[in-house]
Amino acid sequence: MNKQTKIEALTQAATPFGTTEGYMPGFGNDFETEALPGALPQGMNSPQRCNYGLYGEQLTGTAFTAPSHQNERTWCYRIRPSVKHTHRFKKIDLPYWVSAPNVDPDVISLGQYRWDAVPHSDEKLTWLTGMRTMTTAGDVNTQVGMASHIYLVNESMVDDYFYSADSELLVVPQQGRLRFSTELGIIDLEPQEIAVIPRGLVYRVEVIEEPARGFVCENYGQKFELPGRGPIGANCMANRRDFKTPVAAFEDRDAPSTVTVKWCGQFHTTEIDHSPLDVVAWHGNYAPVKYDLKTYCPVGAILFDHPDPSIFTVLTAPSGVPGTANIDFVLFRERWMVMEDTFRPPWYHKNVMSEMMGNIYGQYDAKPQGFVPGGTSLHNMMLPHGPDREAFDKASNSELKPEKLDNTMSFMFETRFPQHLTAFAAKEAPLQDDYIDCWKTIEKKFDGTPGLK
Ligand SMILES: [Fe+2]
């Protein structure tokens, strides 16, 4: 046995794509992937001629001159350059997909609101026609703020593609399964997972299991990133390895096709004669990603009191003010409650940020009734909220033994900007008119005498 043979005998090859087939692990990694051998240039980005006759093209997600630790871009090697994937534009109307600023004079956004799940109908709805904007915040033209949407999808996009120049989309499924066939690969998504689709990325959404319903946070501003953990250290909360970016996948398909572009809050279509999903190989750190919310490792109080809900932040999109997010995506999932002598549900509060919540499944501890899977609630800037009477009484009087909060997964899109209701949210969506009454029966217990009451 010569020396070389001995080394081989001791070595076992790693899988090329990580441990989840079709995906590469990591958040914001510098990935590289090719669907055909040798399609990805090595050692340089822009060779004089690319293998297979591919065209090299850069997609930038940050300004060229962004600080290097924030700089994001991806080099694509594709069958046609993107200039072949758009032609002349025609404006179209998607009246239910609304962008900020959208302050409807006939709608009162000041108030605590809650909605049942928006029901499905027989109407055929795609990712584009099935998007229902609930709230908008900030201004899409100045790239600050967000919109929250609910999607109802029961029809696949066929020869129909989309990209948003306005925003990255954080997708939170609640029902059904969807496939996002993107320029950079394929993401299959189901409830208890989330996906982030970057600004400018072309994709098509197909229905794997219908009907599909879920929530979308449309982020006009700086990209989502992982929150700093501070003294928590290098582990727990959302861990980088649990984020999955798809491997390269391409279509070489000629067919009359439509590309819809969202740009400055308006929608436009353009007609082409082929699939734009033609990236054979790519490398870079600007790419779609999905994440299994069941891998989120919550950290919390282990003796008394509880920290602010920011302890449950999965992703944060910064604003220009340090520590004040354009959007925080916060997850309330199963966890143990062990705090002694503590009122365990969320306390009563008023918040300078505005909070759009959604229920993925189960029951939320501050609202045992009424906040249903698929449902949403809005607690806007500086509007008080907190546990209802039932939750307060139970939490004030129950024996405080260690207790598992089970069968629960809710989330919050929290933004520094006030959220304005759309006409759909105020007039068409199943608004619970009596939500405000959930605090009505809370009684005054103070009578001037000391003692716990
Ligand atoms: Fe709150």
Side-chain angles (χ1 to χ4, degrees):
M1 184 184 285
N2 64 29
K3 201 174 173 185
Q4 181 64 35
T5 313
K6 192 176 173 188
I7 289 171
E8 283 172 3
L10 290 172
T11 310
Q12 191 171 332
T15 56
F17 302 131
T19 49
T20 305
E21 193 180 353
Y23 298 91
M24 304 174 285
F27 186 88
N29 287 11
D30 211 22
F31 296 106
E32 66 171 31
T33 172
E34 59 186 12
L36 293 175
L40 192 68
Q42 293 296 316
M44 64 186 303
N45 296 324
S46 191
Q48 185 179 23
R49 285 185 296 173
C50 294
N51 205 358
Y52 296 98
L54 299 172
Y55 291 85
E57 178 177 306
Q58 185 178 224
L59 174 65
T60 58
T62 55
F64 295 138
T65 47
S68 54
H69 68 281
Q70 290 175 337
N71 209 316
E72 296 200 11
R73 61 90 181 87
T74 284
W75 274 92
C76 303
Y77 301 93
R78 58 194 319 157
I79 296 170
R80 298 176 178 88
S82 286
V83 287
K84 294 287 287 181
H85 301 328
T86 60
H87 198 237
R88 286 192 173 79
F89 290 105
K90 185 176 77 180
K91 266 191 193 171
I92 61 161
D93 208 16
L94 286 173
Y96 284 103
W97 190 334
V98 178
S99 294
N102 177 65
V103 182
D104 188 325
D106 298 328
V107 166
I108 298 178
S109 295
L110 184 69
Q112 299 96 337
Y113 290 106
R114 191 165 69 189
W115 294 264
D116 286 325
V118 178
H120 297 282
S121 71
D122 294 335
E123 189 182 0
K124 288 292 176 194
L125 296 171
T126 67
W127 181 248
L128 299 182
T129 57
M131 199 66 73
R132 301 281 179 268
T133 307
M134 296 291 287
T135 64
T136 65
D139 185 344
V140 73
N141 286 292
T142 52
Q143 301 188 344
V144 292
M146 56 161 273
S148 70
H149 313 280
I150 287 169
Y151 65 81
L152 303 169
V153 179
N154 54 15
E155 188 164 71
S156 296
M157 295 165 73
V158 179
D159 298 325
D160 195 9
Y161 306 87
F162 173 69
Y163 74 88
S164 173
D166 285 344
S167 48
E168 70 175 344
L169 264 54
L170 168 64
V171 185
V172 185
Q174 188 264 325
Q175 186 183 42
R177 294 169 63 212
L178 296 174
R179 168 166 294 174
F180 292 79
S181 295
T182 80
E183 288 178 289
L184 300 183
I186 296 168
I187 286 180
D188 286 347
L189 201 64
E190 61 185 36
Q192 303 181 46
E193 295 180 321
I194 58 168
V196 179
I197 310 294
R199 184 193 299 263
L201 189 75
V202 179
Y203 61 97
R204 175 182 73 221
V205 180
E206 290 145 313
V207 181
I208 303 173
E209 181 190 315
E210 62 140 336
R213 179 173 57 209
F215 312 92
V216 170
C217 181
E218 185 180 0
N219 174 17
Y220 304 145
Q222 206 172 316
K223 290 170 71 328
F224 278 108
E225 57 188 48
L226 290 174
R229 293 192 190 86
I232 292 169
N235 300 289
C236 295
M237 301 171 68
N239 291 300
R240 287 180 182 273
R241 65 174 288 222
D242 297 319
F243 288 81
K244 311 286 182 190
T245 287
V247 297
F250 71 97
E251 298 176 358
D252 180 14
R253 199 159 57 82
D254 293 334
S257 302
T258 303
V259 180
T260 302
V261 183
K262 181 174 190 282
W263 195 87
C264 293
Q266 298 180 321
F267 292 86
H268 313 71
T269 58
T270 182
E271 305 298 327
I272 57 175
D273 61 4
H274 55 269
S275 168
L277 308 182
D278 64 355
V279 177
V280 179
W282 60 268
H283 78 86
N285 59 353
Y286 190 65
V289 66
K290 78 168 182 173
Y291 173 72
D292 183 348
L293 294 170
K294 297 190 295 301
T295 64
Y296 184 83
C297 178
V299 172
I302 53 173
L303 189 57
F304 64 88
D305 275 355
H306 42 85
D308 292 318
S310 47
I311 194 73
F312 298 137
T313 302
V314 181
L315 292 168
T316 185
S319 74
V321 179
T324 303
N326 186 36
I327 307 158
D328 281 328
F329 174 64
V330 182
L331 180 71
F332 306 99
R333 66 161 303 185
E334 295 92 341
R335 59 197 184 275
W336 279 91
M337 305 290 263
V338 298
M339 304 87 92
E340 298 173 351
D341 189 24
T342 293
F343 183 76
R344 289 178 174 176
W347 10 247
Y348 295 103
H349 61 287
K350 279 202 305 194
N351 191 352
V352 68
M353 310 278 279
S354 65
E355 310 174 7
M356 167 62 84
M357 284 191 66
N359 186 338
I360 299 170
Y361 75 82
Q363 198 177 59
Y364 180 64
D365 58 330
K367 302 278 164 47
Q369 306 293 328
F371 183 44
V372 297
T376 47
S377 68
L378 175 67
H379 300 118
N380 230 325
M381 178 185 67
M382 285 300 175
L383 278 173
H385 53 284
D388 60 23
R389 167 73 188 266
E390 182 189 350
F392 180 85
D393 285 349
K394 185 164 173 251
S396 303
N397 297 301
S398 58
E399 187 192 349
L400 292 182
K401 53 182 193 258
E403 184 189 7
K404 179 98 180 274
L405 270 186
D406 236 333
N407 183 37
T408 186
M409 186 177 273
S410 297
F411 68 90
M412 179 163 66
F413 301 146
E414 187 181 52
T415 171
R416 61 173 297 195
F417 300 104
Q419 297 187 47
H420 294 276
L421 267 61
T422 59
F424 172 78
K427 295 170 184 169
E428 287 187 55
L431 187 65
Q432 298 176 4
D433 287 331
D434 59 350
Y435 174 49
I436 187 79
D437 296 333
C438 78
W439 299 290
K440 195 165 79 176
T441 56
I442 295 174
E443 55 193 359
K444 173 184 156 186
K445 297 191 294 176
F446 177 82
D447 62 7
T449 62
L452 302 177
K453 297 171 197 290

